[in-house]
């Protein structure tokens, strides 16, 4: 199975780049299943139902969220009606929606997608992601119930993300980090067959401070005092993420490539992307 994962879509610039480029990526790279993290797509904070529909129409087969899952209040109801959107497994006991689901890829192949929040340096104390993921992976065995499994580990610390990678090694096809908005250069296949990258990076304008126009965050760093609001940077976005090929029989990864397309970062991917028509 050919799986594409794109990291946190940041504001209008990120949404526009997804709408323009995701369909071309899916066609050029023959993607079977695309997962997009949408937790910052609406003005940098959460995801409105309209913007969720935009990501799905652009070709996301599943949209994951994160600590910003319900910053847009309409998502509280919308997530109950739209099974292609997932919130973190360990967000809160009574949160609406689900943290994992099994989806059907072309040919009837089944893919599990799950998301968990980390605990290190996060603003709120979330439940243990390891036990939450363990429960899901035990009941969705690779090469058994599902042909592939993707885990989005949404947290700050690369150490915790690598911990989740090794914890899931051999039990998930892909473990990919989100939340920091900066891609790490460690894409690899772990010893037991799980493709891993500590952070996918964002789909946003990298002339920014993690996707926000730099002026206000820089002012707060320098003076320690807020003056205005954070607003998403509006320059051309780089779509950032991970491309993974898996063996349908075992569910293990056989190829992994970092993905960066458009905007300011050097391009990367499984093959050059043809220019827009
Ligand atoms: Fe984010
Ligand atoms: Fe986040």
């Amino acid at each position: 199975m050919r799986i594409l994962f794109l990291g946190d879509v940041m504001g209008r610039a990120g949404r526009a780049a997804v709408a323009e480029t995701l369909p071309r990526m899916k066609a050029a790279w023959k993607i079977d299943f695309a997962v997009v993290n949408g937790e910052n797509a609406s003005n940098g904070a959460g995801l409105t139902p309209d913007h969720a529909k935009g990501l799905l129409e652009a070709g996301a087969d599943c949209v994951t969220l994160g600590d910003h899952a319900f910053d847009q209040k309409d998502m509280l109801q919308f997530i109950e009606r739209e099974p292609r959107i997932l919130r973190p497994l360990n967000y809160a006991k009574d949160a609406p929606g689900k943290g994992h689901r099994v989806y059907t890829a072309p040919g009837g192949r089944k893919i599990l997608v799950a998301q968990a929040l980390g605990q290190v340096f996060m603003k709120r104390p979330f439940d243990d992601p390891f036990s939450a993921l363990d429960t899901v992976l035990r009941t969705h065995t690779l090469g058994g119930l599902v042909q592939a499994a993707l885990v989005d580990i949404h947290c700050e610390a690369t150490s915790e993300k690598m911990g989740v990678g090794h914890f899931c090694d051999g039990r998930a096809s892909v473990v990919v980090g989100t939340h920091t908005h900066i891609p790490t250069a460690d894409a690899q296949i772990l010893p037991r067959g799980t493709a891993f990258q500590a952070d996918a990076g964002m789909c946003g304008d990298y002339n920014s401070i993690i996707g926000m126009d730099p002026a206000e965050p820089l002012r707060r760093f320098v003076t320690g005092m807020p003056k205005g609001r954070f607003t998403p940077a509006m320059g051309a976005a780089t779509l950032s993420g991970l491309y993974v090929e898996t063996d349908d029989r075992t569910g293990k990864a056989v190829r992994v490539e970092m993905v960066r397309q458009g905007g300011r970062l050097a391009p990367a991917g499984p093959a050059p992307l043809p220019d827009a028509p």
Side-chain angles (χ1 to χ4, degrees), residues 8 39-40 154 179 181:
D8 311 38
E39 74 149 1
N40 307 109
H154 194 82
H179 178 73
H181 294 195

Side-chain angles (χ1 to χ4, degrees), residues 99-258:
H100 72 92
R101 278 183 202 276
V102 175
Y103 299 93
T104 305
R109 293 169 292 174
K110 301 292 181 193
I111 175 170
L112 168 76
V113 182
Q115 185 184 47
L117 285 157
Q119 295 179 302
V120 179
F121 305 137
M122 298 299 279
K123 281 187 190 128
R124 281 182 24 209
F126 298 106
D127 288 346
D128 171 23
F130 292 91
S131 61
L133 287 167
D134 190 55
T135 303
V136 171
L137 294 175
R138 271 177 199 281
T139 49
H140 299 79
T141 47
L142 264 194
L145 206 66
V146 295
Q147 278 71 59
L150 180 146
V151 172
D152 171 351
I153 176 64
H154 194 82
C155 64
E156 201 74 57
T158 45
S159 55
E160 190 176 20
K161 294 178 191 194
M162 292 190 89
V164 170
H166 285 283
F167 184 74
C168 298
D169 188 16
R171 299 200 288 165
S173 315
V174 190
V175 172
V176 60
T178 52
H179 178 73
T180 71
H181 294 195
I182 301 298
T184 55
D186 58 338
Q188 60 181 302
I189 298 175
L190 295 173
R192 288 193 277 274
T194 298
F196 177 79
Q197 186 174 339
D199 204 292
M202 66 174 166
C203 296
D205 175 7
Y206 281 78
N207 177 24
S208 68
I209 294 180
I210 63 167
M212 294 295 181
D213 183 282
E216 177 61 19
L218 185 58
R219 182 185 295 120
R220 292 192 199 183
F221 278 125
V222 173
T223 68
M225 288 175 284
K227 193 172 167 196
R229 300 166 71 99
F230 286 168
T231 51
M234 292 301 294
T238 303
L239 297 190
S240 305
L242 198 59
Y243 167 91
V244 180
E245 287 177 27
T246 63
D247 178 332
D248 285 335
R249 194 176 48 81
T250 62
K252 307 230 169 146
V254 295
R255 184 181 176 195
V256 61
E257 302 287 345
M258 297 179 65

Side-chain angles (χ1 to χ4, degrees), residues 46-99:
L47 181 63
T48 65
D50 274 359
H51 293 161
K53 286 176 196 159
L55 297 177
L56 294 166
E57 276 162 21
D61 298 296
C62 171
V63 174
T64 54
L65 295 170
D67 53 318
H68 292 289
F70 301 110
D71 285 7
Q72 301 290 332
K73 299 302 166 218
D74 291 348
M75 184 52 68
L76 289 164
Q77 288 84 40
F78 189 70
I79 198 170
E80 301 270 29
R81 301 202 309 270
E82 180 45 84
R84 291 175 290 177
I85 301 179
L86 296 177
R87 46 87 172 159
L89 286 167
N90 53 340
Y91 185 88
K93 273 200 179 56
D94 297 325
K98 285 190 65 174

